[in-house]
Amino acid sequence: MSGATGTADFFYREALRLGYVARSAFKLIQIQKQHKLIAPGAAVLDLGCAPGAWLQVACQNLGPLEKGGLVVGVDVKKVKVPSAHCDSRVRTVCTDVMALMKQQARAMSPQERGFSVILSDMCPVVSGITTRDEAISCELGMRALSLAVGKIKFKESADYRETMERFQSSTGPDPDEDGVLRRGGSLVIKFLENEDIPGFNKFCKEKFKKVSLLRPKATRSSSREIYMICEGLR
Ligand SMILES: C[S@@+](CC[C@H](N)C(=O)[O-])C[C@H]1O[C@@H](n2cnc3c(N)ncnc32)[C@H](O)[C@@H]1O
């Protein structure tokens, strides 16, 4: 688990010391510190949650139990809710997000009113074939985006049209047009850096009040991952 660099080893050791199940905890800690996406009592959907470090960080930011809130983690792998930093507000569902319908996702939210924060740390098992890994990463990102904002609609003349159309088909049929992210809510999507990111970025800038890209300090130097942080769904 420890990486080749001193920085990677630092985050690995810190995760062990502080009771996080993976060093990836520090990526969400940095995102949360800079963007304050998870408010006390928030309803958080964590896509690609195994082994559970983001569940821990999300729960820590819900505030005291009496504030309420919920963290639902979804992964193709079965995930046991970590005992440290998690409480009764955290639960996990084992399913493939590519096949998860919006109605099913909404049914997991409090009073079926949707989520205030959606996090996607999903990534493919890296094959080493760059174009293939990038395409799968974009498909996963597109699925997270369409779950959040609903049916992807844009003007014919939009200069990101080609990018969005290319990955739209990967989301599969879903009769529900509405997304499961509440108005004003925030979305975080992990991508492997590639030439389609500017297209996603432009689309998201129309949908959200603020969009930024972040490469957290805990990212391994060998990784091409980057996080798109979208705040304030219009
Ligand atoms: C980098 S890990 C997530 C780490 C997690 N955020 C944490 O801090 O513990 C990426 C996860 O995405 C999951 N994943 C990839 N494709 C998925 C899919 N189609 N549906 C659900 N989960 C998926 C993988 O199983 C893997 O557990």
Side-chain angles (χ1 to χ4, degrees):
M1 196 173 185
S2 66
T5 69
T7 311
D9 289 337
F10 169 77
F11 287 113
Y12 174 66
R13 283 196 306 272
E14 279 299 275
L16 277 182
R17 186 176 72 82
L18 298 170
Y20 293 114
V21 293
R23 62 197 296 296
S24 52
F26 296 102
K27 298 175 191 172
L28 185 57
I29 288 172
Q30 184 181 347
I31 292 170
Q32 174 67 5
K33 197 170 173 194
Q34 290 180 213
H35 296 270
K36 309 208 169 12
L37 307 180
I38 306 168
V44 182
L45 179 63
D46 179 7
L47 304 172
C49 68
W54 282 27
L55 297 174
Q56 296 177 294
V57 177
C59 187
Q60 283 181 309
N61 284 280
L62 292 184
L65 262 180
E66 55 272 21
K67 286 270 179 201
L70 177 73
V71 183
V72 180
V74 181
D75 204 288
V76 280
K77 296 176 195 154
K78 205 160 188 269
V79 182
K80 190 169 173 287
V81 175
S83 51
H85 306 306
C86 287
D87 59 34
S88 56
R89 293 172 289 184
V90 183
R91 62 190 182 90
T92 60
V93 176
C94 181
T95 194
D96 182 347
V97 171
M98 294 306 283
L100 180 68
M101 298 285 120
K102 295 191 213 65
Q103 202 182 350
Q104 292 172 301
R106 193 174 299 106
M108 298 172 187
S109 68
Q111 293 89 44
E112 305 201 4
R113 284 178 48 242
F115 292 91
S116 49
V117 180
I118 299 182
L119 308 170
S120 171
D121 197 21
M122 290 188 290
C123 63
V125 177
V126 176
S127 70
I129 305 167
T130 309
T131 48
R132 184 187 144 80
D133 294 338
E134 285 173 359
I136 298 174
S137 159
C138 283
E139 286 173 7
L140 292 169
M142 179 61 118
R143 186 69 202 141
L145 184 57
S146 87
L147 273 174
V149 307
K151 191 165 185 219
I152 306 287
K153 295 178 192 154
F154 43 80
K155 289 192 195 119
E156 274 294 296
S157 57
D159 58 359
Y160 52 73
R161 184 173 68 94
E162 193 266 330
T163 300
M164 301 311 275
E165 276 179 352
R166 193 145 37 92
F167 295 108
Q168 211 166 13
S169 56
S170 64
T171 66
D174 187 340
D176 191 345
E177 299 227 334
D178 297 328
V180 298
L181 183 64
R182 293 180 196 160
R183 191 174 291 240
S186 299
L187 170 68
V188 175
I189 305 178
K190 173 161 81 181
F191 287 103
L192 292 181
E193 271 188 290
N194 74 86
E195 61 186 19
D196 290 306
I197 290 181
F200 278 96
N201 200 7
K202 282 183 185 164
F203 173 79
C204 289
K205 279 187 168 154
E206 290 179 7
K207 286 275 173 192
F208 292 85
K209 288 184 187 146
K210 187 178 163 202
V211 179
S212 40
L213 293 170
L214 177 73
R215 191 177 151 81
K217 290 196 181 91
T219 295
R220 293 177 198 277
S221 55
S222 58
S223 168
R224 291 185 300 118
E225 73 185 17
I226 189 156
Y227 291 84
M228 190 173 290
I229 299 161
C230 309
E231 296 170 71
L233 179 65
R234 294 180 200 277

